[in-house]
Amino acid sequence: MIVSLAILGAAIAVFGPADTVLKILYMPIRRPGWYVLVGTFNGVALITVAALPFAALAVWALARRRSAAGVTSAWQMSLAEVGIVYGTVPWVWMIMLPGDEAGAVVSLVPLRDLLTMDTGQIVGNLLVFAALGFLAPLRFAALASVPRILALAAGCSVLVEAAQYVLRLDRVSSVDDVLLNTAGAGLAALASRRWWRATA
C-alpha cells in the first residue's frame, strides 16, 4: 500500500494533477495492450513511474554489494549509475517512438526549428540527457568537465537523431534538438559541479 501511494505521489509530482495521472492509468485500449504500454508517451510515462521502486531496489543492492567489498563511495556510485539509466532511457525511448511527419525529415539549419517549438518540446529536449549531465561527472572522474559532458551529450544526441532518420520514424531529425539536448546536459552538469571535487 505504501509503495502504491509512493508511485502515485511520484506520478503526480512528475506528470501533473491527479486527474492527468488517472487518465494515464485508465486510458482506453484501442490497440493491443503491449502497444499502449510501449508505443505511446503515456505508456512510457506509466512504465517509468512503475519502475521507480525497482530503481530504488537496484541502488540499494548495488550499494550493499559495494559496501561489502569495501568501496568507500558505494552509495554515490550506485545512485549515479542507476540514476543515469533511469533518468535517460525513458526520454530516449519517447523520442524514438514514431512521429506524425510524412517520412524522414532532416533539418540542418540552426535555430530554425527552435522558433516553432512549444514550451513542452523545448523543456523535453533539455531533459533528455539532463540526468547524464548531472550524474556522469559524479560517477566518472574523467567526465568531471563541462566540455567533456557537452561532447558526450552532443555525440549521444547525434546518434539518436541519426537513428530517427535511418529507422524512418516519421520524425524531424533536427540540429536544434541536438543543441537543446546538449545544452540540457551542460546545465545539469553545472548544477552538480559543487560535488565534482568529492568525486575526484
Side-chain angles (χ1 to χ4, degrees), residues 40 53 81 84 107 155 167 171 198:
T40 64
E81 289 171 356
I84 289 170
S107 177
L167 297 174
R171 285 183 166 272

Side-chain angles (χ1 to χ4, degrees), residues 9 25 38 41 59 66 95 107 120 129 141 150 166 179 186 188 191:
L25 294 175
V38 302
F41 289 119
V59 172
R66 285 179 169 139
I95 61 179
S107 177
F129 294 114
L150 292 174
V166 170
L179 293 174

Side-chain angles (χ1 to χ4, degrees), residues 76-90:
Q76 178 180 322
M77 292 172 63
S78 303
L79 183 61
E81 289 171 356
V82 174
I84 289 170
V85 175
Y86 183 81
T88 305
V89 169

Side-chain angles (χ1 to χ4, degrees), residues 114-167:
L114 186 60
L115 299 175
T116 63
M117 290 182 185
D118 59 31
T119 304
Q121 289 175 303
I122 293 173
V123 172
N125 275 307
L126 288 171
L127 292 175
V128 172
F129 294 114
L132 179 69
F134 188 91
L135 296 169
L138 300 177
R139 174 58 183 90
F140 306 103
L143 292 174
S145 161
V146 173
R148 290 177 185 175
I149 288 296
L150 292 174
L152 176 63
C156 292
S157 184
V158 167
L159 286 175
V160 170
E161 296 297 314
Q164 287 179 345
Y165 176 78
V166 170
L167 297 174

Side-chain angles (χ1 to χ4, degrees), residues 7 11 14-17 19-30 33-51 90-91 93-95 97-98 171:
I7 291 172
V14 173
F15 301 107
D19 60 335
T20 302
V21 176
L22 291 176
K23 285 179 185 176
I24 292 173
L25 294 175
Y26 295 106
M27 57 188 165
I29 299 179
R30 295 189 180 90
W34 63 267
Y35 178 84
V36 173
L37 283 177
V38 302
T40 64
F41 289 119
N42 289 346
V44 175
L46 182 59
I47 289 174
T48 302
V49 173
W91 292 106
W93 186 352
M94 286 184 191
I95 61 179
L97 294 176
R171 285 183 166 272

